[in-house]
Amino acid sequence: LSQEGQTRYALAPQYGFLELQYNYFKGKWGTAASATTGIANVDKKLAYINSSTFSLSYRFAGINGGFSSTPIFETNNNNENVLTGNEQTIYGGPYVSFIVFKQLSLGAQYNFSKTLYDNNVYSFANINASYNNIKNGIRFMVTGSIPLQKPGAASANPIRYGYLNVTLAKRFTI
C-alpha cells in the first residue's frame, strides 16, 4: 500500500505501508486488532505513520480503542517540507450496534480521545445507519460524529467539528 497527500499546510511524502489484521470470534464473543505502519524519508529523516486498533465485543455491544501517530510537516521559507514532530492520539470508547431487520442496521458510539502533541481532550457521539438491499444491489449508509465540547481553535485536529457522511452505492451486474 502507499499513500500521499496534504497534512496541515504542506504536501506529505509518499509512504510505503505494512498492515496486519487479526479477527477472532467464538460464540457471542469477538475480538479484532489491527496495526498499520508507514515509513517515508523526508529531508534525510525517517517519518513514520502508525495506527493500532483493537475491539472486544459481546453480542451487540463492545469497546474499542487505539493509538495513532502522524508526522507533522510544515513548509519552510525555501518551500521545502520540514518534519516538525508527531501528532499522537489515544482513543477509545463503548459502542452498540443493532440489526433492526434483515436489511437495516443501526449503531452508536461514545468516543474519547486525547492528542499528546497539544494535550487536547475530545469526546464525540458517533452514529451510523446502513440499509443494504442485496436483491436490488443498493446500499445506503449514513455516518456522523458530533463533538460533545466546543472546538478549540489551537488544535490541528480537523474532525474536532464533527461530520456527516452519506453514501449511496448501486451494484450493476454486467
Side-chain angles (χ1 to χ4, degrees):
L1 300 172
S2 69
Q3 173 182 329
E4 64 182 319
Q6 184 171 341
T7 62
R8 292 198 190 203
Y9 305 108
L11 187 63
Q14 184 172 357
Y15 288 85
F17 278 94
L18 173 65
E19 183 173 13
L20 302 171
Q21 293 185 348
Y22 172 79
N23 296 299
Y24 179 76
F25 295 95
K26 184 169 184 170
K28 297 177 183 180
W29 287 93
T31 185
S34 70
T36 304
T37 299
I39 187 170
N41 189 341
V42 179
D43 196 30
K44 299 181 183 176
K45 293 181 183 176
L46 293 179
Y48 297 93
I49 288 181
N50 295 304
S51 177
S52 301
T53 63
F54 76 90
S55 71
L56 177 64
S57 62
Y58 180 75
R59 296 184 62 192
F60 59 86
I63 59 169
N64 64 12
F67 170 81
S68 67
S69 178
T70 307
I72 299 171
F73 296 99
E74 294 182 7
T75 304
N76 65 13
N77 293 338
N78 297 331
N79 210 21
E80 299 169 326
N81 285 347
V82 178
L83 179 63
T84 60
N86 287 304
E87 184 160 328
Q88 298 174 323
T89 304
I90 54 173
Y91 58 90
Y95 66 90
V96 294
S97 58
F98 301 96
I99 297 174
V100 178
F101 55 88
K102 187 176 179 180
Q103 298 170 327
L104 179 66
S105 62
L106 302 172
Q109 177 180 1
Y110 169 78
N111 195 8
F112 170 86
S113 68
K114 180 176 182 177
T115 55
L116 305 179
Y117 175 75
D118 55 12
N119 214 26
N120 283 324
V121 175
Y122 302 96
S123 58
F124 295 90
N126 302 315
I127 56 152
N128 63 69
S130 176
Y131 172 78
N132 192 12
N133 188 324
I134 296 171
K135 180 180 174 184
N136 295 330
I138 294 174
R139 186 169 188 185
F140 181 73
M141 297 175 290
V142 176
T143 59
S145 182
I146 304 160
L148 300 177
Q149 73 283 321
K150 191 173 183 178
S155 173
N157 189 340
I159 64 167
R160 69 182 184 264
Y161 299 108
Y163 65 89
L164 181 66
N165 183 27
V166 178
T167 304
L168 176 62
K170 168 71 175 145
R171 186 186 73 234
F172 294 98
T173 305
I174 299 176

